[in-house]
Amino acid sequence: MKLKIKKGATVQVISGADKGKKGAVLAVNATAMKVQVQGVKVQTHYDKKDGLLKKEGFIDYSNVKLVEAASKEKKTSKKASKSKSA
C-alpha cells in the first residue's frame, strides 16, 4: 500500500496519549505502517556511553492526519547551470 505521508510532512495526531500535537515526520516505516513524529511519543533510553537519551518512538499511521505535505524542492541540473554561466 502506498502511503500519502512522506518524510518532512507536517502531521497532527488524532488519537492516543499525544492527541492534538503537531510535528514534522522524521521517519516512515511503510512495511509496519508506522511513522515517527517530532515531539510525539518521546521515550527515554539509557545508554552506557551517553547516559539518558530522549527520542521519538513510532506511532501507527492511522493515528495521524496530514496537515501540510512535504515541500518538493526544485532540482536544477548541473548542465543547465554551467551553460548559463558560460
Side-chain angles (χ1 to χ4, degrees):
M1 182 175 170
K2 186 175 178 183
L3 304 180
K4 294 182 181 182
I5 296 174
K6 308 270 188 237
K7 183 178 176 181
T10 304
V11 294
Q12 181 178 10
V13 180
I14 57 173
S15 66
D18 294 317
K19 182 178 180 178
K21 288 187 180 179
K22 290 182 184 178
V25 176
L26 301 174
V28 177
N29 186 344
T31 55
M33 300 274 296
K34 304 244 181 214
V35 293
Q36 192 176 30
V37 183
Q38 185 177 15
V40 175
K41 194 176 178 186
V42 177
Q43 301 170 328
T44 57
H45 172 75
Y46 180 76
D47 189 31
K48 285 185 178 181
K49 186 177 177 183
D50 299 325
L52 280 176
L53 299 174
K54 291 190 178 198
K55 55 191 272 184
E56 290 85 358
F58 281 90
I59 60 172
D60 200 65
Y61 176 78
S62 65
N63 292 342
V64 295
K65 74 174 183 180
L66 185 63
V67 174
E68 186 179 321
S71 62
K72 292 183 180 179
E73 293 181 16
K74 210 173 190 183
K75 293 183 180 178
T76 57
S77 65
K78 290 182 181 179
K79 263 187 179 177
S81 60
K82 282 184 181 179
S83 62
K84 286 181 183 176
S85 61

